[in-house]
Amino acid sequence: MKNIYLSVALLLTVVSFLASCSKSYDYLNVIPKDTPMVASINLKALGEKAGINDKENKEALGKLTGMLKKEMNAASFEKLESIIKNPDECGIDLGKPVYAFYSDKNDMILTAKVTDKKSLTNSIKLLGNDTDISELTEKEGYSFSQIDGYSYIAFNENTFIAVKSKTSGDSDKLKLNAIEVLNGKSEESIASDKGFIRMQDKKADIAIYNNFKELDNDYKEILEKSIGIDGAAEECKLISGIFFENGRLVIKSEFYTDDKKIKELYEKHNDYFSPIKNSMLEYLPKSTLCLMSVSIENDKIFEMLKENEDFQKNISLEDAETIEKVLKSVGKEITFGVTDFNMTETPAIVVYAEAKNGDILKELYNNKDSNSLTRYSKFTELEENAYLIQTGRDNIFLGYKDDMIYATNNENTYKNIGNKPEASAEDNSYAKDIKGKKVAYIIDFNALSQLPIMQMLLKSGNAKMTAMGSILKNADNMSVTYDDDFTITVQLKDTKTNFLKQMTQLAKEFAGI
C-alpha cells in the first residue's frame, strides 16, 4: 500500500499550484537556527512550470487518477478527487513553500503551513485507509500518526510536520519528539537568520541553505585552510537557488557570511581572476567533448602562492622561481579541451595559453637536467619552439606558435596546432554564455552523443542506455561557471519550453502515460 501513499503525494503536488494563500508564517518556528541544512520548495511554481494544468497533461492525470481508483476504497478516492478539484480541502496551504530540514538530532523533517486542521484531519483519516499510516490520535493540542518505527506525521492548528527519525522508538517517544518540534520558539528558529532570509530572497523554485558550522571536522579543516582563517566554517553558509527556466535548469550558489574579515579575503580572491575573452575557442573543434577556460591575474596568483604555508613548505626555491617564470610568460587566458575519446587510447587533450613568446620553453629545455620539473623525463627538441616530453608511455608535445603556448598528448593534434577548424567551439551556443565569466567548464552533450562508443551503447537495447539516449537527444550542454557566484546550467535544445515541463514529458514517456 505504500505505493498508493506515494501516488497520493504525487497527485497532491500536481494540483498544488491551485492552492490558496495564507498570511501566517508560524510554521517556520519548527526549523531550528542551528540546522545544518534546510530546503525551501515552491510547489506552486513547480506545478505551473511542469505544465500540469495544460491540456496535454490532462489525459496523463486522468490515467493516474484511474489507476488509483482501482486500488483505493470508494470513500478515500472520493476525498482525493475532491482535493484535486479544490486543493483548499486538504487543509495544507500548498501555495506556501514547503521546507525540508535536519533537526539537531539529525532527523529529516518536512514542514508545511496548516490552513484548516479539521480538513487536514479528515483528509488523513480517509486517505489513511489505503496506506500504512496508523490511526490519528490527539495529544496536547496536536494530532499524531505513526508510519513505522522511525517515522510519523503530526500537526496542530498552524504547522504540519512529517518526520523521518535517525533512531527508532516506541510511539510515546515519537510523540514526545513531536511535541518538542511543534513547540519550537520563534527566537530559537531560523526565521531571523540573515543567511536564511538571503535564501528566501532568491525567489527560487527550490532554495537550499547549508550551514558549514555543522560540517565534519575534516571538511571544516579543508574549508578553513582554503580560506586561511581559523574558525571560518563557523561563520560561513552556502546558499543555492534552483531555477527551472525555458530550455534550461540553472543552479546558482554563493558563499554567505557576516564576518568582515572573511568577506575581505573572499573579495581579494576574486581579484585573482579576470573576465574570459574566449580567445582560444577558435582553435578547438566544435566537437570538443569538454573544455575549461580560466583567466587569471598571473602576478597576483604568484603572490598568493608565496604567502601560502603549504607552498612555502613543499616547493623548493628553485622550483618556485620556475613557477614564477612560467606564470609571467603566459598571458591571462588558458583553455583546456578534450577533443576525442575511445576505449583503446588515452583521451586527446590540448591546452592553449596566451603568450608573447616561447622563451620559457627554451629555458626549460636548456636546463632540463637540473630542473626538478623535467629531470625525470626525456626532453627532446623537435623543431624550433616545439618539444616532446616523454615520461614512461606518456608523450607531451609542447611548444609556442601564433602567440600561444600549447601542450597536447595527441600527435595528430600537435601536427595541426594553429590550424583553425572550419567549425570551432566558438560556434557552439555556450560560447556567448561563458564569455565574461572568470572560470568556465563545459560538457557538450551533442559531441558526446556522436562518439562511436556512445552510439554503440545507445543502440545496445539496454533500458538504462535507452533512457540516457532520450535525455541526450534533448540536451545541448552543461556549464559550470564562476563569476561572483557559482552557476551550473543544463541547456536543452528546445529553448522555448520550460525545462521542468520537458522533463515531465520525458517521465510520462518512460512511464507510458
Side-chain angles (χ1 to χ4, degrees):
M1 289 299 181
K2 288 183 180 179
N3 288 334
I4 294 177
Y5 183 68
L6 292 174
S7 299
V8 171
L10 173 62
L11 279 176
L12 290 176
T13 302
V14 158
V15 300
S16 64
F17 68 96
L18 296 173
S20 63
C21 295
S22 168
K23 294 182 180 179
S24 175
Y25 281 81
D26 293 344
Y27 71 117
L28 293 179
N29 291 347
V30 304
I31 309 176
K33 61 184 177 183
D34 58 351
T35 180
M37 187 280 292
V38 58
S40 167
I41 306 164
N42 189 332
L43 293 175
K44 180 179 180 181
L46 294 179
E48 290 174 343
K49 292 182 176 183
I52 297 302
N53 203 36
D54 292 352
K55 290 181 180 179
E56 60 265 32
N57 286 316
K58 286 187 176 180
E59 183 179 349
L61 183 60
K63 287 182 179 179
L64 184 58
T65 304
M67 291 165 57
L68 287 172
K69 187 174 183 178
K70 294 177 182 178
E71 299 289 338
M72 300 175 71
N73 67 54
S76 297
F77 181 78
E78 184 179 349
K79 179 61 178 177
L80 177 61
E81 200 169 34
S82 70
I83 291 174
I84 292 173
K85 293 177 180 177
N86 182 14
D88 288 348
E89 289 190 17
C90 74
I92 289 178
D93 188 348
L94 297 173
K96 287 284 185 285
V98 171
Y99 292 90
F101 64 95
Y102 284 104
S103 73
D104 54 2
K105 298 183 178 67
N106 281 324
D107 293 346
M108 186 66 189
I109 303 177
L110 183 145
T111 184
K113 173 64 187 167
V114 174
T115 54
D116 188 327
K117 184 182 177 184
K118 184 177 180 181
S119 294
L120 180 57
T121 300
N122 291 336
S123 299
I124 291 175
K125 282 182 177 179
L126 282 171
L127 297 176
N129 293 331
D130 292 280
T131 69
D132 293 335
I133 299 177
S134 66
E135 184 178 353
L136 273 175
T137 59
E138 291 286 336
K139 184 178 180 67
E140 298 186 24
Y142 75 94
S143 299
F144 175 92
S145 181
Q146 192 167 339
I147 300 172
D148 55 35
Y150 295 84
S151 308
Y152 66 85
I153 61 172
F155 56 93
N156 56 26
E157 295 287 346
N158 295 310
T159 307
F160 169 89
I161 57 172
V163 180
K164 179 69 175 179
S165 178
K166 281 283 186 180
T167 55
S168 62
D170 58 30
S171 181
D172 289 337
K173 288 183 179 179
L174 294 180
K175 285 179 181 179
L176 288 173
N177 183 268
I179 293 173
E180 183 181 348
V181 175
L182 288 171
N183 288 338
K185 304 289 192 300
S186 60
E187 62 270 19
E188 298 172 353
S189 79
I190 200 172
S192 60
D193 181 274
K194 291 180 180 179
F196 181 75
I197 294 170
R198 176 73 174 171
M199 181 195 83
Q200 291 177 305
D201 288 343
K202 284 185 172 292
K203 306 298 182 186
D205 299 317
I206 300 174
I208 303 172
Y209 164 106
N210 286 283
N211 189 345
F212 291 141
K213 186 177 181 180
E214 301 301 320
L215 282 176
D216 289 340
N217 288 332
D218 290 342
Y219 292 114
K220 279 186 182 180
E221 186 177 347
I222 293 171
L223 176 64
E224 289 169 2
K225 274 193 173 183
S226 65
I227 293 177
I229 297 177
D230 291 338
E234 301 290 323
E235 305 295 335
C236 292
K237 284 104 177 171
L238 181 68
I239 300 170
S240 304
I242 302 175
F243 304 84
F244 296 97
E245 300 178 355
N246 286 348
R248 63 181 191 169
L249 166 70
V250 180
I251 304 172
K252 289 183 175 290
S253 299
E254 64 170 301
F255 284 104
Y256 178 85
T257 182
D258 292 318
D259 187 280
K260 185 177 179 180
K261 190 175 181 181
I262 297 175
K263 281 182 179 179
E264 289 175 352
L265 189 60
Y266 187 72
E267 290 171 1
K268 183 180 178 181
H269 284 178
N270 272 341
D271 291 339
Y272 298 147
F273 300 93
S274 54
I276 295 169
K277 303 188 300 292
N278 284 354
S279 58
M280 305 294 168
L281 294 192
E282 61 183 337
Y283 294 99
L284 290 168
K286 187 174 183 179
S287 60
T288 298
L289 303 174
C290 63
L291 66 84
M292 184 179 77
S293 285
V294 59
S295 185
I296 59 175
E297 296 291 336
N298 311 68
D299 293 338
K300 292 180 180 179
I301 287 285
F302 187 70
E303 289 303 315
M304 179 269 290
L305 288 175
K306 285 199 302 184
E307 295 172 4
N308 183 276
E309 289 185 11
D310 290 334
F311 185 84
Q312 294 170 3
K313 291 177 182 177
N314 301 317
I315 303 297
S316 69
L317 183 60
E318 180 186 6
D319 288 344
E321 289 176 353
T322 301
I323 292 171
E324 182 178 18
K325 288 177 181 178
V326 170
L327 285 172
K328 287 185 175 181
S329 298
V330 299
K332 294 182 179 181
E333 192 152 319
I334 303 169
T335 297
F336 161 103
V338 178
T339 57
D340 196 14
F341 173 81
N342 60 56
M343 297 296 289
T344 59
E345 297 178 5
T346 304
I349 300 170
V350 63
V351 181
Y352 292 109
E354 295 176 331
K356 293 180 180 179
N357 55 61
D359 292 350
I360 184 62
L361 302 180
K362 289 181 181 179
E363 185 174 337
L364 286 173
Y365 175 71
N366 291 332
N367 299 303
K368 59 181 181 293
D369 295 328
S370 60
N371 195 310
S372 65
L373 299 176
T374 56
R375 70 167 63 115
Y376 301 111
S377 303
K378 184 179 179 181
F379 203 160
T380 307
E381 184 175 24
L382 300 175
E383 55 181 304
E384 175 107 18
N385 287 322
Y387 307 87
L388 174 64
I389 299 177
Q390 295 172 291
T391 304
R393 295 182 179 181
D394 297 325
N395 294 331
I396 302 295
F397 297 89
L398 187 67
Y400 169 79
K401 189 174 184 179
D402 297 338
D403 297 326
M404 298 181 301
I405 285 177
Y406 64 85
T408 179
N409 64 342
N410 185 271
E411 186 172 3
N412 187 55
T413 300
Y414 156 67
K415 290 177 179 179
N416 288 281
I417 286 292
N419 297 330
K420 298 177 183 179
E422 185 175 338
S424 74
E426 197 172 35
D427 301 320
N428 285 318
S429 61
Y430 56 72
K432 65 180 185 301
D433 295 324
I434 66 175
K435 190 173 184 178
K437 304 297 184 183
K438 295 175 180 177
V439 180
Y441 177 75
I442 298 289
I443 298 176
D444 191 328
F445 295 127
N446 287 311
L448 283 172
S449 65
Q450 296 306 312
L451 287 173
I453 181 64
M454 186 61 72
Q455 288 287 315
M456 182 182 72
L457 290 172
L458 294 176
K459 294 175 182 178
S460 65
N462 180 279
K464 289 183 179 179
M465 293 309 303
T466 300
M468 182 185 293
S470 296
I471 294 172
L472 285 176
K473 181 178 68 176
N474 292 278
D476 190 314
N477 66 78
M478 183 181 79
S479 65
V480 181
T481 61
Y482 170 72
D483 197 350
D484 292 326
D485 298 333
F486 288 95
T487 303
I488 300 173
T489 303
V490 178
Q491 181 69 55
L492 302 182
K493 292 174 183 174
D494 178 355
T495 60
K496 296 181 179 179
T497 307
N498 189 275
F499 180 95
L500 190 57
K501 187 173 182 178
Q502 293 187 57
M503 293 300 101
T504 300
Q505 183 59 39
L506 275 177
K508 284 163 51 182
E509 291 175 7
F510 292 150
I513 58 176

